[in-house]
Amino acid sequence: MDESGGSGQPRSGKDQATDRHTGGTAPTTDPAHPEPATTDTRVAETGKPDAKPTPPDEPSDTDEPAAPRPPKPDAPADTPGRTGPTARLTRSRAPRKPKDPGGGLLMGRPFGVPVYVAPSWFLVAALITWVFGGQLDRVLPELGAVRYLVSLFFAVAFYASVLVHELAHTVAALRFKLPVRRIQLQFFGGVSEIEKESETPGREFVLAFVGPLLSLILAGVFYVALQTVEPGTVPGVLLAGLMISNLIVAAFNLLPGLPLDGGRMLRAVVWKITGKPMTGTIAAAWVGRALAVSVLIGLPLLTQAGALGADAEDSVGMDTVTDALLAAILAAIIWTGAGNSLRMARLREHLPELRARNLTRRAVPVETNTPLSEALRRANDAGARALVVVDPDGEPLSLVREAAIVGVPEHRRPWVSVSGLAQDLTDGMRVSAELSGEELLDALRATPATEYLVVEDSGEIYGVLSAADVERAFVKAMARPNQSTAPRRG
């Protein structure tokens, strides 16, 4: 089976707030990060400029709120504005490439793509060894216990054929400039995780078809090799088994339902006819679900009727239970894959709505030793919702964490400096204001954090992006009814 993927800042001025923001925040949970989202709070004023600080051991008599106030759920993101002191920034560097995704035992990197063997493969390899060994006992009884060694070789050779099938998808994807995250060999086949969608239905069709095509070519190669060996020998049995298994892989993947290759081909055809990729996905996903039901009901019936090569009277007892279990597993895989394909398509349809510039919060610059109460007062006066710690020259050093602000009692805020609540900036925590969609999510995944500094291409501060804001925007976008995407030329 082939699966696709599965990427305004405030500027600083001379201590003056303008009508633009300097920052924003981004979510800390899905879609960008696994961590739970921080509470979205609004910066609250904690004291007047000339007010005398309350000692730490005395209760505060001020009537200002003790913690930032959360914004209204539907309130639009602030417009970016200047931060204050001039921020001498260089251009934001691209975030580091994330580490390999993992997913089992790393076997190699053909074409630069990591290939993993999932733990479930060892289970199915043992099952193939046992089943094929039983068949060898009937065909070549003289092998004895050696038949299981031959069967293990067959299991490895079969999955090598599956790897060739997946490499065909990978090479086609790389040819079309589509990044491939990894190839994983697992229970019931393999998966090529292509991170982006094809730009045209024609490319989508080719990308899906090359896998079954390579399986058919392999079946032909094994057929030709079979003609050169004597029937009834170990090489003859192995070559015949590999020929048949590759024919089955090709035929199964050509079934017209997602997540199978045939489903992606159907999606490409409907996309080409309607001009709407989402329409193609919906059609192929529902055909995939119908296919899952057909497998669940039809496979045991075909076995009992003797249509798969066994006599009907022999297809009882343990064989019937095994066939029913196999049908249930296959049906579950197809049904789940169809649903996942549909959800992924809806996600990608809404991803362009996530724009760093629109989600960024206004920020104000404060120096390292500024008391938290004073920093919050300045933020409220400027209508900002984030704090950027800068050096005397205006160079950003760190971001004050929203969750840390909430954790400081109000009467302690005049005695706590902002530097103690800030997270040092790393290269990956500087993101471009122009990022959107998958590129934005890829940047956040590469460097997990609760807040990010958003900068213009010129290097000027635009604002602060909160991971929590990105998550809320993502959830809100996904909750909207689907909209047809613009037609693309194939």
Side-chain angles (χ1 to χ4, degrees):
M1 266 179 268
D2 183 61
E3 172 182 302
S4 296
S7 21
Q9 308 162 293
R11 300 178 182 172
S12 44
K14 299 273 186 178
D15 291 325
Q16 297 175 357
T18 67
D19 58 348
R20 297 190 57 194
H21 289 58
T22 60
T25 57
T28 59
T29 59
D30 257 359
H33 303 294
E35 301 88 26
T38 56
T39 304
D40 181 17
T41 56
R42 187 174 181 82
V43 178
E45 180 181 347
T46 57
K48 298 184 173 71
D50 56 351
K52 182 179 180 180
T54 303
D57 56 346
E58 296 181 10
S60 173
D61 58 356
T62 181
D63 57 357
E64 286 97 13
R69 298 184 297 274
K72 296 181 181 180
D74 295 329
D78 295 329
T79 309
R82 297 183 181 273
T83 56
T86 301
R88 296 181 176 87
L89 293 178
T90 58
R91 282 180 176 270
S92 177
R93 283 177 278 183
R96 297 183 183 93
K97 186 177 180 179
K99 296 181 180 179
D100 287 338
L105 179 64
L106 178 63
M107 301 302 294
R109 298 174 180 274
F111 306 104
V113 177
V115 176
Y116 293 93
V117 174
S120 60
W121 177 86
F122 296 95
L123 176 63
V124 74
L127 180 62
I128 292 175
T129 301
W130 176 62
V131 172
F132 194 68
Q135 295 176 347
L136 280 177
D137 190 36
R138 291 192 293 270
V139 179
L140 299 170
E142 66 275 11
L143 289 178
V146 179
R147 68 181 183 274
Y148 292 109
L149 184 60
V150 177
S151 299
L152 179 60
F153 177 83
F154 170 78
V156 174
F158 169 67
Y159 269 87
S161 300
V162 173
L163 177 59
V164 171
H165 175 110
E166 297 303 330
L167 284 174
H169 293 303
T170 295
V171 171
L174 296 177
R175 175 68 178 79
F176 295 143
K177 309 298 184 184
L178 302 176
V180 181
R181 184 168 180 254
R182 67 177 177 180
I183 296 173
Q184 187 181 51
L185 300 180
Q186 53 187 234
F187 195 81
F188 277 113
V191 174
S192 299
E193 296 186 5
I194 301 171
E195 295 184 343
K196 292 186 178 181
E197 186 180 271
S198 300
E199 296 180 355
T200 65
R203 290 185 175 185
E204 174 77 357
F205 188 93
V206 171
L207 186 59
F209 180 62
V210 291
L213 177 62
L214 257 292
S215 293
L216 288 172
I217 292 175
L218 283 177
V221 170
F222 289 128
Y223 173 78
V224 172
L226 184 60
Q227 309 308 307
T228 65
V229 300
E230 185 178 346
T233 61
V234 171
V237 172
L238 285 176
L239 290 171
L242 290 172
M243 179 192 69
I244 294 172
S245 61
N246 275 277
L247 284 174
I248 292 174
V249 168
F252 181 73
N253 275 278
L254 285 172
L255 293 175
L258 286 172
L260 304 176
D261 295 328
R264 296 183 62 191
M265 293 163 64
L266 174 62
R267 174 184 182 271
V269 171
V270 176
W271 177 3
K272 180 66 176 179
I273 294 173
T274 64
K276 301 175 182 178
M278 190 63 191
T279 301
T281 301
I282 293 174
W286 279 105
V287 172
R289 288 172 171 172
L291 181 62
V293 175
S294 300
V295 169
L296 179 63
I297 299 173
L299 186 58
L301 292 178
L302 289 174
T303 302
Q304 287 191 349
L308 298 182
D311 294 334
E313 58 269 18
D314 295 334
S315 301
V316 294
M318 194 63 183
D319 288 343
T320 302
V321 175
T322 302
D323 292 336
L325 179 61
L326 176 63
I329 294 174
L330 285 174
I333 291 174
I334 297 173
W335 182 279
T336 303
N340 289 341
S341 298
L342 193 57
R343 282 189 291 273
M344 182 62 69
R346 287 172 177 164
L347 180 154
R348 284 176 169 157
E349 187 180 40
H350 292 298
L351 275 184
E353 301 174 22
L354 300 181
R355 297 181 177 276
R357 187 176 295 279
N358 297 340
L359 297 173
T360 297
R361 294 180 180 182
R362 182 191 302 271
V364 294
V366 292
E367 293 192 3
T368 302
N369 295 325
T370 304
L372 177 59
S373 59
E374 172 63 14
L376 294 178
R377 183 194 65 77
R378 295 181 191 176
N380 281 339
D381 287 348
R385 298 171 57 204
L387 300 172
V388 179
V389 180
V390 299
D391 64 15
D393 294 327
E395 176 73 23
L397 302 174
S398 57
L399 301 178
V400 180
R401 294 175 293 117
E402 184 180 41
I405 295 175
V406 177
V408 178
E410 184 177 354
H411 71 277
R412 290 281 304 165
R413 291 178 180 177
W415 309 93
V416 176
S417 65
V418 292
S419 60
L421 307 175
Q423 181 177 5
D424 292 340
L425 283 171
T426 63
D427 289 343
M429 290 175 62
R430 299 175 188 240
V431 300
S432 169
E434 302 304 323
L435 290 181
S436 64
E438 289 189 57
E439 291 182 349
L440 173 60
L441 296 186
D442 288 343
L444 303 192
R445 290 191 193 103
T447 308
T450 56
E451 286 90 14
Y452 300 83
L453 182 69
V454 183
V455 296
E456 297 281 12
D457 289 342
S458 62
E460 293 180 287
I461 300 175
Y462 185 73
V464 174
L465 180 67
S466 165
D469 289 347
V470 175
E471 182 190 9
R472 277 188 287 271
F474 177 83
V475 172
K476 185 176 180 180
M478 289 293 291
R480 297 195 192 108
N482 293 327
Q483 299 175 354
S484 299
T485 56
R488 300 176 182 177
R489 296 171 60 186

